[in-house]
Amino acid sequence: MRLSNGETLSQALYGDTDPAGASGYGDHPPRMGFFTDTSVCIGCKACEVACKEWNHVPEDGLLFTGMSYDNTQGLGADTWRHVAFIEQSKPLAGQIAGVQHDSDQLRWLMSSDVCKHCTHAACLDVCPTGSLFRTEFGTVVVQEDICNGCGYCIPACPYGVIDQREGDGRAWKCTMCYDRLQIGQEPACAKTCPTDSIQFGPLDELRDRAQVRLQQLHDAGVVDARLYGEDPHDGVGGDGAFFLLLDEPEVYGLPPDPVVTTRDLPDMWKHAAAAAATLALAAAASFIGGRR
Amino acid sequence: MAECHPVGFQWVMEAKARGATVIHVDPRYTRTSALADIHVPLRAGSDIAFLGGIINYVLERGKEFRDYVVHYTNAAVILREDFRDTEDLDGVFSGLDREERSYDFHSWQYEGLEVQAASGQRDQEYEDKVGTDHAKGDSFGSGGASIGSGEPQRDETLQHPRCVFQVLKRHYARYTPEMVEEICGVPQDLFLKVCRALTDNSDRDHTSAFVYAVGWTQHTVGVQYIRGAAILQLLLGNIGRPGGGIMALRGHASIQGSTDIPTLFNLLPGYIPMPHSHRDEDLDKFIAAERTEKGYWAEMRAYMVSLMKSYWGAAATPDNDFCFDYLPRISGNHSTYETVLAQIDGVCKGYFLYGENPAVGSANNKMQRKGMANLDWLVVRDFSLIESATWWKDGPEIETGEMRTEDIATEVFFFPAAAHTEKNGSFTNTQRMLQWHHMAKEPDGDARSDLWFTYHLGRIIRDKLAGSTDEMDRPVLDVTWDYPVEGSIDEPSAEAVLAEINGWDSEGRPLSSYEQLNEDGSTACGCWIYCGVYTDGVNQAARRKPGSEQNWLGPEWGWAWPANRRVLYNRASADPDGKPWSERKALVWWDDEESKWTGHDVPDFSASKSPSYRPPEGARGAEALSGIDPFVMQADGKGWLFVPAGLTDGPLPTHYEPQESPFNNPLYGQQRNPVRQVLQKRKDNRYHPSGGSPGADVYPYVVTTYRLTEHHTAGGMSRFVPYLSELQPEMFCEVSPELAEERGLEHNGWATIVTARNAIEARVMVTARMTPLRVQGRVVHQVGLPYHWGPNGYSTGDSANELAHLALDPNVHIQEVKALTCDIRPGRRPRGPAKNDLVLQYQRGAGVDENTGTEV
Amino acid sequence: MSGGDVTRDGLRGVRPDRDAMTGNLDGERRKPGRRRRGRAEQQMVPDAEFTSYYGRPVIKAPVWEAPDIPGYIFLGGLAGASSMLAAGADLSGRGELAKVCKVASLGAISLSALALVHDLGKPSRFLNMLRTLKVTSPMSVGSWLLAAYGPATGVAALSSVTGFLPPLGAAATAGAAALGGPVAAYTGVLLADTAVPAWHGGYREMPFVFTGSGAAAAGGLALGLADHGIPMRQLGPARAFGVLGAALELVASEAMEKRLGLVAEPYQKGNKGAYYVKAGKALTALGAVGAVASMRAAPLTRAAGAVLFLGSLATKWGIFHAGFASADDPKYTVVPQRDRIERGEQARATAD
């Protein structure tokens, strides 16, 4: 089956597509995104702070977690960039850690997580008010003057990004600094990242650059390096914010094989229709055998 | 560096992108280690042994850059016959006066030089006037001591047994890889890897750089640590060349600026030494004592007179020595810790704290507070009510009952301060570069800049003193204080101050170089090394030409002193003929056709001095330096491998154990720096026994302090900010899994850390990034403590510096907080007087008394 | 060794900092290659090698609360099924049964709407639900369904109670009955159209569980009023409907849990949702048996009806809380996805 814009249903719901175009923008700028290369992250958290300052995101908890240097814990309504820290007794290529435990191997993975701005964004799909929308840059943004806090987007996100703000009731998440994009600036986190771990630009360019970087790392013996979210044929149609990781995604708290829930929605409606029909049949059957 | 200078670390990353190897030597595996190629954990306080080991490796294997060493260092100079090295005297040099706790450096001098004919009198005066104090180091400013006229004897083959090169070799002969393992806990193969990596990358075509911060300087031998790196880099030919050098990472945005235009007691702007009392009775004597014969310090009179003219304007004339007598005189060591003692002893009555929080940031917090409790008045300027402003009502001594608020007579004034975005001014960074920052908005409420405060305070005092006939008031009344003010709050023009610092001639035209400064009072200049920052009346520090539009050194971004040179001593990047040592390390070179030095950087050399120039007999000043004397500030134009004068604790770095150490010094009988500064008989500053002394095992662990990326020094700029506080919300300690097991510490639980000074509590972070080390045949553990916390603000906790003692480097009086000993135990600390009981209990258990640790 | 040169003409070999390499020590390279993990194909046993980020959830559990949302789902099912019962009752001349069912569906749907609005983060903006219609959003579809169904039940009930406008009432009853199925079934899609493993994984069966449960509740409500509002003799269809619904629900639940494999665990143990689910199944089964066995006895009928009603309630609470538990524990997200990858069955979008 084909939709009015020529796409097949599956393309529309979870395949490789131009999200801005599919959302009805005619002439639109190239799709913009993030490539977060965690192999050069130094864990400084400038991204967390810059994001909060630019977007007036409230402080969300003074808690010493003991999770290495991560006291932020995870993305949420009040954390739109989250730096993860993972200490592992494993080597990073030929790096010499110098420690003298039973194992002499040590490495410290650091990674700045962010909303993925999925090509097929479940949060956007399930939003009943139309508050969540696709911008001309292909990003996903919440219109805070419309959101009524129904909370549906929250469990829909396969990455666990968006959340409800306490005391406020609405859903909040990274906007990829939509206001800055509109005047030709890069998002606050990308601007502030001192080592260019957070790279911002047209998504195609970033994807090309990432492949080169991956090869570079593999050639240098960093066998664990892998890209995450860069593939337009994955379960969400590829992420607008994708990563280079140095271990499996779940090590960083990321789902290994995320799928946009909407992929299964047509099938769900079919089953719901069948269930409704079954109910009707049961109702009819209940009345067989006489009037009273 | 990634922890404390994340933005600067991008340049390290860029170097790595070009293939550089990054070696990180640190007791802890930090965010820098995560991006480094090699991490070398070592015992805090053992770096001189480590560096000495590398020096030994270089010298034993002949890895030095021979041509560079012979021509550009004092390696060939022959020393006096009566010089005795630490190898001869079991750990001390000749000239030690154990009673005075000081060295007479005469026996360290070069052979064949007149013993400072012009300065013989000075020496005697130093001995008499300085007394038991240790302020000698500063009296040499930064040119090293002056050396009399005459040439030292040299052996160009570097074979003479008393030449510096051979003395160096002998001094470090026992700093073998085995010894490094013994002392530092660094396994030999790892140590040798570092040596190989460094020496493979340091030769004619390759250079290596050292980067350090207070992990090196905050020791009783801190200055000698840096000297160790200096020796190494000179031997390897890495100074003055691209990709080489030694970079000091400073801890504050403009602390470099605050030593250039100093807030240090012993220096005048531009590193001119502060005059001492009793000694320099007039300007002539002062200049005679302080200037050098050769090099740019020969012109000290010009710099000094110009400075006086800038201070006192028309009132400074040749007849009154340019108001030289208006300058205060120092009578000894007035460093910050001496000041605290003076407060405790009731001598110092008033205190200004500008953006400084000693109740958290200085060693031995209790003594800081006790000092402040004895003042008549205290002025604190900061953004928030920091601990140094509120200790009198909620400090730790109030909790223990040692002090009572009603008994504290100090009158405390708190003035809110403007942030850097709310005022104009400059930052001078570690690269000596000035960058102007612009006021984005006026400060809110009563907040004001330091400039506003100082200017208006001065204005008000002058108003009150106006018309006075008392001689004592003349310095204040004659000082030039006529800065224009602007804006709704009468903010003095920072640019006007900059112009004054830059200086002008008698017509009021801005100067463009310190070479224009005169001795006759026709020029005024607030800081000779900054002369040029306001060339042509343009604020050079405010220049912002993007890097893509100029040469890679970025000379049109900001302005670096001196004269916008970006790499100091860059003459050393070219060989004695003026050609770069390597075409892939070309920085400046001699252009024979144009008869001048040219290249990417402003040459740190007389522009037209040919490499073949040799000074005639009797030459003075800059003319006395030859075409192959790149180290133009040194009295002999050479890089000093051996320092004949200017340091109080030895011409060569020697491994001494820190003031407190679990170990004896395996190299010598001399355990510690014999002339380090210790406090005598201060109840609040007891030291621990060390090494094999009885009671040392009561404090068996090494503890070191450090910063985290998320916070800033004593917390005044970060613990009051929600966005930073939430990133590291609580004080914590870092311990290895092995130490946690040994002491029963639980991850995410609490621990109490105890020294003879105090006890603090911290959350526990058990991490493999802290590693046990094997030193002298046994395992030693180290405890890591960030030092950002105090009881005030958004994020609160105990302060690490409560634990620290006052034992200071004798040259610069910096505290040793990077290597202490302690005990650590699970659980929170006692509250109230019980806390002091715990501290005393430990002291008794270790047999600590007023003499412990104070021996030479 | 650094590959950058500082020549007399400027720099060569400059690279941006994002190209930095770490651990690339000369002579210490490792050969590139992927690591493979061999694993047995066991879908029920949790992966002993499974990793997470400090045990933290991967996705976010909903911010919905009980009683609002499980109550909403329960009341929706009750209402929709009651509307069907009402229509059949009308057609078969069971007047009291019809009236009670119409009033019940109005009451239930009104309460459920209130619960929904109450659960909103910004209740004052509840009308924003009707700004747009999005078929990709079950909540949008449901809002419009309710917007049509609600008034229909209202007209049907009012007409029945007051006797006014019977033709309008009849039309409304028919309309409500037609929409009743979707109203009861769509809540299954509502829950399933999320990333919550226990919900999404059961998307095929969930609508059947909910419609069956709705029928059990509707039947149970009617039975509960045996001789106290509805004469016993009218209750035959209610009994049948209740029993059929219970059977549908139980069969669909079994099928769902079987398909879910590891992810069925939250429905079975380890959290309070499992407790409610098991209680729900027991009560539903008991109630169904009771509904059959009590054909002659009114008190027993009422008891059976109450048990069926409670069983349906418990099932909704159970599914609700078990879903949260499946969201909070990262293993239910990570393990099935990791298994998919190991089997070469990771999600791929192909052109079709």
Side-chain angles (χ1 to χ4, degrees):
Chain A
M1 135 182 202
R2 293 210 171 253
L3 302 181
S4 58
N5 61 3
E7 288 191 321
T8 64
L9 183 62
S10 56
Q11 260 177 318
L13 294 183
Y14 69 103
D16 182 11
T17 189
D18 162 31
S23 298
Y25 293 95
D27 217 0
H28 63 82
R31 184 173 178 193
M32 305 303 279
F34 284 131
F35 167 40
T36 304
D37 180 351
T38 69
S39 72
V40 293
C41 175
I42 58 174
C44 71
K45 307 181 191 170
C47 52
E48 291 196 31
V49 176
C51 169
K52 288 216 181 193
E53 297 233 308
W54 182 261
N55 295 294
H56 294 154
V57 177
E59 167 259 308
D60 59 345
L62 300 177
L63 179 71
F64 181 76
T65 63
M67 288 162 43
S68 190
Y69 278 7
D70 178 3
N71 296 300
T72 302
Q73 302 184 67
L75 293 175
D78 297 336
T79 293
W80 300 356
R81 268 279 174 190
H82 158 242
V83 182
F85 291 82
I86 304 129
E87 299 176 27
Q88 299 179 313
S89 299
K90 289 198 228 182
L92 181 64
Q95 193 183 51
I96 297 171
V99 294
Q100 298 167 39
H101 307 288
D102 288 340
S103 164
D104 65 353
Q105 309 284 19
L106 183 65
R107 67 188 195 175
W108 204 2
L109 305 182
M110 301 172 210
S111 164
S112 179
D113 195 13
V114 73
C115 169
K116 315 300 177 288
H117 293 273
C118 311
T119 302
H120 296 288
C123 62
L124 194 164
D125 287 343
V126 303
C127 174
T129 61
S131 167
L132 275 152
F133 78 106
R134 181 79 59 181
T135 71
E136 63 270 35
F137 300 102
T139 57
V140 179
V141 172
V142 184
Q143 296 171 83
E144 301 297 347
D145 52 346
I146 295 171
C147 174
N148 63 13
C150 79
Y152 201 12
C153 51
I154 293 158
C157 174
Y159 300 99
V161 171
I162 192 167
D163 206 352
Q164 189 181 50
R165 179 169 289 175
E166 241 180 76
D168 177 280
R170 296 171 287 180
W172 296 79
K173 72 170 191 71
C174 161
T175 64
M176 208 181 278
C177 286
Y178 188 30
D179 50 353
R180 294 175 66 96
L181 263 59
Q182 286 173 319
I183 54 168
Q185 300 256 20
E186 55 180 340
C189 56
K191 183 152 193 82
T192 201
C193 177
T195 58
D196 227 12
S197 171
I198 300 176
Q199 295 165 40
F200 172 78
L203 194 58
D204 312 345
E205 279 179 33
L206 293 177
R207 283 175 175 170
D208 289 342
R209 193 190 293 170
Q211 292 293 351
V212 172
R213 175 64 175 164
L214 186 68
Q215 190 58 48
Q216 198 183 31
L217 284 167
H218 283 168
D219 289 343
V222 186
V223 294
D224 296 324
R226 71 203 66 200
L227 296 178
Y228 178 77
E230 92 295 358
D231 185 354
H233 297 105
D234 71 14
V236 299
D239 289 331
F242 69 99
F243 298 78
L244 187 146
L245 304 177
L246 296 178
D247 206 326
E248 295 185 334
E250 53 265 45
V251 168
Y252 296 85
L254 296 166
D257 185 33
V259 178
V260 61
T261 180
T262 325
R263 178 193 68 172
D264 300 323
L265 189 59
D267 207 17
M268 289 186 211
W269 284 131
K270 286 194 200 127
H271 281 77
T278 308
L279 185 66
L281 230 70
S286 303
F287 285 91
I288 293 172
R291 318 181 120 237
R292 284 301 264 118
Chain B
M1 185 176 176
E3 295 277 348
C4 304
H5 300 267
V7 178
F9 198 75
Q10 69 182 287
W11 309 120
V12 175
M13 297 300 278
E14 212 171 282
K16 279 161 64 65
R18 300 185 209 181
T21 298
V22 174
I23 301 174
H24 183 226
V25 181
D26 195 297
R28 304 162 49 233
Y29 184 104
T30 69
R31 281 173 269 206
T32 305
S33 323
L35 276 299
D37 298 298
I38 306 177
H39 173 237
V40 183
L42 87 175
R43 177 168 66 98
S46 66
D47 301 60
I48 292 180
F50 190 82
L51 289 170
I54 306 179
I55 294 171
N56 172 279
Y57 178 94
V58 168
L59 295 174
E60 288 301 312
R61 288 168 178 71
K63 297 281 189 184
E64 72 278 2
F65 184 172
R66 194 73 171 198
D67 285 339
Y68 186 106
V69 170
V70 167
H71 290 107
Y72 293 161
T73 74
N74 66 356
V77 173
I78 296 174
L79 301 173
R80 282 163 53 138
E81 266 201 69
D82 56 348
F83 170 70
R84 293 290 173 272
D85 180 68
T86 52
E87 290 297 283
D88 303 312
L89 300 178
D90 198 20
V92 303
F93 294 97
S94 45
L96 176 63
D97 182 337
R98 280 182 183 267
E99 280 205 15
E100 293 291 306
R101 302 181 82 111
S102 71
Y103 273 109
D104 176 328
F105 57 86
H106 288 89
S107 62
W108 307 344
Q109 286 287 356
Y110 295 165
E111 175 74 74
L113 262 198
E114 273 181 4
V115 179
Q116 288 122 327
S119 57
Q121 195 180 14
R122 167 180 60 166
D123 286 22
Q124 251 176 327
E125 289 184 353
Y126 286 154
E127 303 286 49
D128 292 349
K129 307 294 164 65
V130 171
T132 59
D133 216 315
H134 302 295
K136 273 187 205 167
D138 50 79
S139 58
F140 295 103
S142 71
S146 85
I147 297 210
S149 50
E151 290 301 320
Q153 289 188 15
R154 291 170 61 90
D155 171 16
E156 306 295 329
T157 68
L158 307 186
Q159 294 297 319
H160 190 291
R162 281 192 345 258
C163 80
V164 164
F165 191 78
Q166 292 300 330
V167 167
L168 196 63
K169 227 175 163 174
R170 181 162 176 264
H171 181 84
Y172 289 111
R174 289 187 298 133
Y175 288 63
T176 58
E178 292 77 21
M179 189 55 79
V180 169
E181 187 166 22
E182 270 284 283
I183 297 177
C184 310
V186 177
Q188 290 183 48
D189 58 328
L190 181 58
F191 171 70
L192 289 170
K193 249 192 188 73
V194 173
C195 292
R196 273 194 297 269
L198 179 61
T199 54
D200 284 352
N201 198 62
S202 302
D203 56 28
R204 189 173 284 268
D205 294 303
H206 303 91
T207 54
S208 311
F210 275 63
V211 177
Y212 76 91
V214 293
W216 265 8
T217 59
Q218 289 178 346
H219 294 274
T220 47
V221 285
V223 170
Q224 297 294 350
Y225 269 57
I226 314 311
R227 278 275 305 132
I231 291 173
L232 203 45
Q233 289 293 68
L234 284 171
L235 287 175
L236 295 173
N238 279 328
I239 302 283
R241 305 182 63 204
I246 304 172
M247 166 159 278
L249 299 175
R250 317 251 8 204
H252 308 71
S254 198
I255 199 167
Q256 179 66 47
S258 92
T259 47
D260 296 339
I261 309 217
T263 54
L264 297 182
F265 76 96
N266 54 353
L267 293 174
L268 287 170
Y271 300 97
I272 300 171
M274 192 73 178
H276 283 67
S277 64
H278 310 305
R279 208 183 312 146
D280 305 308
E281 276 154 334
D282 64 10
L283 183 60
D284 285 345
K285 289 206 178 63
F286 173 73
I287 296 297
E290 305 300 344
R291 65 183 287 278
T292 62
E293 286 300 318
K294 302 189 191 177
Y296 284 87
W297 277 125
E299 307 308 318
M300 189 180 289
R301 192 184 193 94
Y303 312 147
M304 185 67 178
V305 169
S306 302
L307 176 64
M308 298 291 106
K309 286 297 287 184
S310 132
Y311 281 163
W312 284 294
T317 67
D319 296 330
N320 60 22
D321 253 1
F322 299 101
C323 294
F324 178 67
D325 282 342
Y326 282 0
L327 274 181
R329 303 291 193 261
I330 58 178
S331 56
N333 174 1
H334 307 295
S335 70
T336 179
Y337 293 108
E338 287 292 333
T339 304
V340 169
L341 294 177
Q343 292 170 358
I344 291 174
D345 295 341
V347 171
C348 170
K349 298 295 192 186
Y351 206 21
F352 283 92
L353 291 177
Y354 280 49
E356 179 87 12
N357 192 8
V360 169
S362 295
N364 201 330
N365 296 146
K366 178 185 289 196
M367 289 189 79
Q368 305 292 330
R369 290 185 293 264
K370 285 211 166 164
M372 291 193 277
N374 223 18
L375 296 167
D376 287 351
W377 53 268
L378 168 68
V379 172
V380 180
R381 284 182 41 81
D382 214 300
F383 305 134
S384 314
L385 286 170
I386 53 173
E387 289 77 4
S388 299
T390 68
W391 51 272
W392 50 272
K393 61 183 176 84
D394 55 22
E397 288 72 40
I398 307 294
E399 188 198 293
T400 60
E402 282 161 276
M403 294 208 275
R404 294 186 320 156
T405 304
E406 51 268 35
D407 298 336
I408 298 171
T410 313
E411 196 167 351
V412 181
F413 300 86
F414 181 83
F415 291 92
H420 70 281
T421 44
E422 296 169 335
K423 53 190 182 181
N424 293 312
S426 65
F427 288 143
T428 307
N429 72 7
T430 191
Q431 200 209 344
R432 295 161 287 102
M433 174 166 65
L434 281 79
Q435 294 177 94
W436 198 253
H437 59 84
H438 301 267
M439 175 192 278
K441 66 178 271 290
E442 283 194 331
D444 294 329
D446 290 335
R448 295 288 181 272
S449 68
D450 295 334
L451 180 58
W452 185 99
F453 185 86
T454 311
Y455 169 74
H456 287 285
L457 182 63
R459 177 184 61 73
I460 294 168
I461 290 174
R462 281 155 56 86
D463 284 346
K464 286 189 186 296
L465 292 179
S468 161
T469 52
D470 192 343
E471 274 294 305
M472 207 185 118
D473 297 332
R474 294 273 22 111
V476 175
L477 289 173
D478 285 344
V479 75
T480 57
W481 208 247
D482 49 348
Y483 306 98
V485 295
E486 27 191 52
S488 65
I489 55 171
D490 286 344
E491 176 79 10
S493 161
E495 204 160 302
V497 178
L498 188 72
E500 184 183 52
I501 288 171
N502 179 78
W504 42 69
D505 62 16
S506 48
E507 316 287 313
R509 290 181 300 230
L511 300 171
S512 58
S513 156
Y514 55 79
E515 300 193 341
Q516 296 172 302
L517 296 177
N518 294 325
E519 304 182 346
D520 59 4
S522 57
T523 54
C525 174
C527 179
W528 69 279
I529 53 177
Y530 278 33
C531 187
V533 72
Y534 208 66
T535 299
D536 300 329
V538 172
N539 184 345
Q540 307 290 326
R543 296 183 302 170
R544 290 286 185 277
K545 187 179 238 187
S548 50
E549 294 171 28
Q550 57 175 319
N551 151 350
W552 57 275
L553 272 169
E556 289 180 77
W557 178 287
W559 185 90
W561 65 261
N564 206 24
R565 295 181 177 110
R566 301 295 167 130
V567 178
L568 280 183
Y569 304 132
N570 53 30
R571 164 71 184 89
S573 67
D575 64 18
D577 296 325
K579 204 163 125 326
W581 292 107
S582 164
E583 287 304 318
R584 65 181 294 269
K585 294 284 175 183
L587 188 57
V588 299
W589 52 90
W590 175 252
D591 184 334
D592 223 17
E593 282 181 15
E594 308 242 347
S595 274
K596 66 178 186 34
W597 288 91
T598 183
H600 300 298
D601 197 5
V602 174
D604 193 7
F605 210 62
S606 295
S608 52
K609 182 184 287 183
S610 152
S612 55
Y613 170 81
R614 296 293 177 268
E617 192 74 33
R620 278 184 70 253
E623 275 75 54
L625 293 179
S626 78
I628 53 166
D629 286 337
F631 292 87
V632 296
M633 293 310 299
Q634 293 293 81
D636 59 357
K638 302 296 184 203
W640 281 5
L641 293 168
F642 181 99
V643 172
L647 293 179
T648 60
D649 55 353
L652 291 172
T654 307
H655 170 70
Y656 295 119
E657 289 290 322
Q659 171 61 35
E660 293 178 348
S661 165
F663 299 99
N664 287 328
N665 189 341
L667 278 168
Y668 318 99
Q670 181 62 32
Q671 170 80 0
R672 311 178 184 93
N673 183 345
V675 298
R676 74 201 181 284
Q677 272 184 277
V678 294
L679 301 189
Q680 302 281 6
K681 300 179 168 42
R682 292 276 179 179
K683 178 167 76 58
D684 295 318
N685 194 66
R686 294 285 188 247
Y687 303 109
H688 300 166
S690 287
S693 302
D697 57 349
V698 171
Y699 306 101
Y701 307 115
V702 174
V703 59
T704 190
T705 61
Y706 48 87
R707 288 164 50 157
L708 302 164
T709 310
E710 296 85 345
H711 280 288
H712 188 257
T713 61
M717 286 177 74
S718 60
R719 274 187 294 111
F720 296 79
V721 176
Y723 290 160
L724 295 174
S725 295
E726 65 175 331
L727 300 178
Q728 293 280 16
E730 285 192 59
M731 169 61 174
F732 62 97
C733 60
E734 296 190 290
V735 296
S736 67
E738 294 83 353
L739 175 57
E741 202 183 310
E742 184 171 299
R743 269 295 190 254
L745 306 170
E746 264 183 45
H747 179 66
N748 231 18
W750 285 92
T752 298
I753 303 108
V754 187
T755 67
R757 275 74 56 189
N758 220 322
I760 62 166
E761 62 182 15
R763 299 295 296 274
V764 176
M765 170 93 64
V766 178
T767 167
R769 293 179 292 102
M770 297 296 286
T771 179
L773 296 171
R774 275 204 90 76
V775 171
Q776 290 178 31
R778 61 180 172 93
V779 170
V780 66
H781 293 294
Q782 306 194 87
V783 176
L785 292 178
Y787 76 92
H788 302 293
W789 275 276
N792 295 10
Y794 219 74
S795 168
T796 64
D798 281 353
S799 162
N801 279 316
E802 302 283 356
L803 303 174
H805 56 61
L806 292 181
L808 313 177
D809 172 288
N811 294 295
V812 295
H813 322 293
I814 200 166
Q815 70 277 10
E816 180 166 68
V817 286
K818 293 303 177 185
L820 310 166
T821 53
C822 74
D823 186 30
I824 185 169
R825 44 203 267 161
R828 302 193 71 160
R829 65 163 167 82
R831 284 353 206 201
K835 181 190 74 164
N836 286 348
D837 293 341
L838 178 67
V839 174
L840 286 171
Q841 181 195 323
Y842 265 85
Q843 283 188 9
R844 282 193 296 269
V848 164
D849 63 26
E850 61 185 21
N851 294 315
T852 310
T854 61
E855 55 272 15
V856 170
Chain C
M1 289 282 169
S2 172
D5 296 336
V6 183
T7 70
R8 300 201 198 211
D9 303 317
L11 299 183
R12 277 209 303 257
V14 176
R15 310 200 60 157
D17 52 2
R18 59 174 185 261
D19 281 355
M21 281 299 162
T22 294
N24 181 17
L25 298 175
D26 299 324
E28 306 232 19
R29 299 202 179 165
R30 298 206 181 176
K31 291 170 69 67
R34 313 271 329 179
R35 296 169 305 144
R36 294 231 60 99
R37 273 192 322 172
R39 282 190 64 256
E41 298 229 9
Q42 290 176 309
Q43 290 170 303
M44 291 300 290
V45 177
D47 186 355
E49 292 176 48
F50 128 86
T51 340
S52 72
Y53 185 68
Y54 302 102
R56 284 182 50 85
V58 173
I59 63 161
K60 291 220 180 334
V63 295
W64 300 328
E65 289 184 352
D68 288 345
I69 298 305
Y72 160 77
I73 296 174
F74 167 77
L75 289 167
L78 172 63
S82 289
S83 293
M84 289 187 168
L85 211 50
D90 263 354
L91 288 172
S92 62
R94 292 168 166 90
E96 276 75 20
L97 178 63
K99 189 193 308 218
V100 166
C101 285
K102 288 177 196 179
V103 171
S105 60
L106 171 63
I109 207 67
S110 305
L111 262 176
S112 83
L114 281 172
L116 202 60
V117 172
H118 180 256
D119 196 67
L120 289 177
K122 279 220 176 301
S124 57
R125 294 186 182 174
F126 72 93
L127 278 177
N128 283 359
M129 293 302 201
L130 301 178
R131 284 180 80 245
T132 178
L133 167 63
K134 281 169 69 169
V135 292
T136 57
S137 171
M139 191 174 283
S140 174
V141 169
S143 301
W144 286 102
L145 258 180
L146 256 52
Y149 173 78
T153 63
V155 172
L158 269 173
S159 173
S160 174
V161 163
T162 62
F164 288 167
L165 304 173
L168 194 59
T173 303
L179 291 173
V183 166
Y186 104 92
T187 48
V189 181
L190 183 72
L191 291 191
D193 195 25
T194 60
V196 176
W199 292 347
H200 187 98
Y203 79 76
R204 295 166 190 78
E205 295 86 7
M206 194 82 79
F208 292 94
V209 173
F210 281 1
T211 49
S213 194
L221 177 61
L223 292 178
L225 294 170
D227 282 353
H228 280 6
I230 309 177
M232 275 281 279
R233 64 193 145 72
Q234 289 191 24
L235 287 173
R239 256 180 240 278
F241 200 38
V243 170
L244 283 172
L248 177 61
E249 180 197 320
L250 290 169
V251 168
S253 294
E254 280 312 296
M256 183 171 83
E257 290 180 31
K258 187 128 184 276
R259 182 198 296 275
L260 283 173
L262 167 71
V263 186
E265 209 174 72
Y267 289 126
Q268 293 158 356
K269 57 180 171 162
N271 71 95
K272 73 177 172 191
Y275 173 75
Y276 282 120
V277 163
K278 289 206 274 251
K281 286 185 192 166
L283 289 169
T284 301
L286 187 64
V289 166
V292 170
S294 64
M295 286 228 237
R296 308 235 181 270
L300 216 55
T301 301
R302 286 195 293 275
V307 171
L308 270 177
F309 187 86
L310 284 171
S312 176
L313 202 66
T315 299
K316 304 305 188 308
W317 254 249
I319 292 177
F320 184 74
H321 288 298
F324 277 57
S326 78
D328 287 339
D329 190 333
K331 95 174 160 190
Y332 300 118
T333 302
V334 173
V335 173
Q337 292 186 15
R338 181 50 60 191
D339 280 357
R340 278 207 297 265
I341 296 173
E342 297 292 320
R343 290 194 311 268
E345 289 169 22
Q346 61 263 55
R348 305 298 298 157
T350 53
D352 58 2

